[in-house]
Amino acid sequence: MTELPIDQVRTLLAVVDEGTFDAAAAALHVTPSAVSQRIKTLEQRTGRVLLMRTKPVRPTESGQVVVRFARQLAALEREAQTELGIAAGAGPARLPIAVNADTLATWFLPALTRVPQSPPVCFDLHREDEAHTAALLREGQVMAAVTSSAEPVAGCMVRPLGRARYLAVASPRFAERHLSTGPLERCLPDAPVMVFDRRDELQDRFVRSLTPDGSGASRIRHYVPTSEGFCDAVAAGLGWGLVPEPQTEPLLRSGALTELAPGRRVDVPLYWQQWKLDVPALALVAETIAAAAAESLHTGD
């Protein structure tokens, strides 16, 4: 039976986390040649290529299996040290979590401040679209994720958090200029639109829900890949967009934004997925996040 030597497994994880062989060597306090040799030996033992030598490096499908094992092993080792009372020199527990930008910009960070820090926990947040955070779980990059997928990743458990609500909004000046010449369903498909990134389909889905022919949003689209910047761009009049309800509320009250279709909101269901590991720190974070989500997100019908 082929064994997976712990030092080689840890080295693979360090390379993936640090992004390069040189950075992993610095983190492990060994030479880059030692890191390269350990990875080469591990690949020979498994008979598979485990890393794509890109910048930053990426685990292959086989490498993802080893990365998940390495991260789980590190978490369990940390908990064992804590229970034995020998964790003082091991450093704080590290929890990599994938979170979408809008969640990160609204309720997630305040929720993390509620997590007790005795013993201390370090959060390693990975920003990713909610439709793609599950991929980071599969790759072993993170131990937990806020995702829009109710289907659990293999080896993970899932729990519903609630629904994030988005409102279609624009600045009053923009609405007057682009959306006042006819019904919204006729004007909106031609109006300049804000889009988070090239995987963001929220605005297109909203327009298709309005138009009989199912056409999407305008081809005049501005990409702003930050939640705060997206909201600021809409308020500045660069385009219309779907903005998280918590971000719109003060701007609607002040008159900086106007709602384009009152009563016609877009709800995105969110779920918490995490590895099935008996790690108290991870369980504590999960309970804290669930409680904060119950206060911040919409639930029920």
Side-chain angles (χ1 to χ4, degrees), residues 42-53:
L42 186 59
E43 289 180 326
Q44 290 173 342
R45 280 180 172 273
T46 59
R48 293 171 172 82
V49 175
L50 301 176
L51 291 177
M52 293 180 282
R53 269 66 169 179

Side-chain angles (χ1 to χ4, degrees), residues 12 17 51 70 91-92 127 156-157 161 163 179-180 190 198-199 202 210 243 275 289:
L12 179 74
D17 282 347
L51 291 177
R127 192 186 68 180
C156 292
M157 62 181 71
L161 293 176
R163 292 176 284 110
L179 304 173
S180 62
D190 297 321
R198 283 162 178 78
R199 294 186 296 189
L202 208 57
L210 295 176
V243 178
W275 289 351
I289 294 302

Side-chain angles (χ1 to χ4, degrees), residues 88 115 132 258 266:
V115 178
H132 299 88
T258 183
V266 175

Side-chain angles (χ1 to χ4, degrees), residues 41 60 81 99 112 172 228 242 285:
T41 302
T60 63
Q81 290 172 335
V99 191
L112 291 185
E228 297 86 348
L242 284 152
V285 170

Side-chain angles (χ1 to χ4, degrees), residues 143-159:
M143 298 172 65
V146 175
T147 174
S148 60
S149 175
E151 184 67 25
V153 172
C156 292
M157 62 181 71
V158 60
R159 66 192 296 179

Side-chain angles (χ1 to χ4, degrees), residues 99-105 127-130 132 166 193-204 221-231 234 240-242 244 247:
V99 191
N100 62 301
D102 290 337
T103 296
L104 199 57
R127 192 186 68 180
E128 181 57 274
D129 182 83
E130 66 271 12
H132 299 88
Y166 290 78
V193 62
M194 301 305 306
V195 183
F196 187 83
D197 59 25
R198 283 162 178 78
R199 294 186 296 189
D200 178 12
E201 299 180 350
L202 208 57
Q203 283 68 217
D204 289 313
R221 48 186 64 198
H222 307 292
Y223 296 94
V224 179
T226 71
S227 186
E228 297 86 348
F230 186 102
C231 183
V234 172
W240 73 274
L242 284 152
Q247 290 179 310

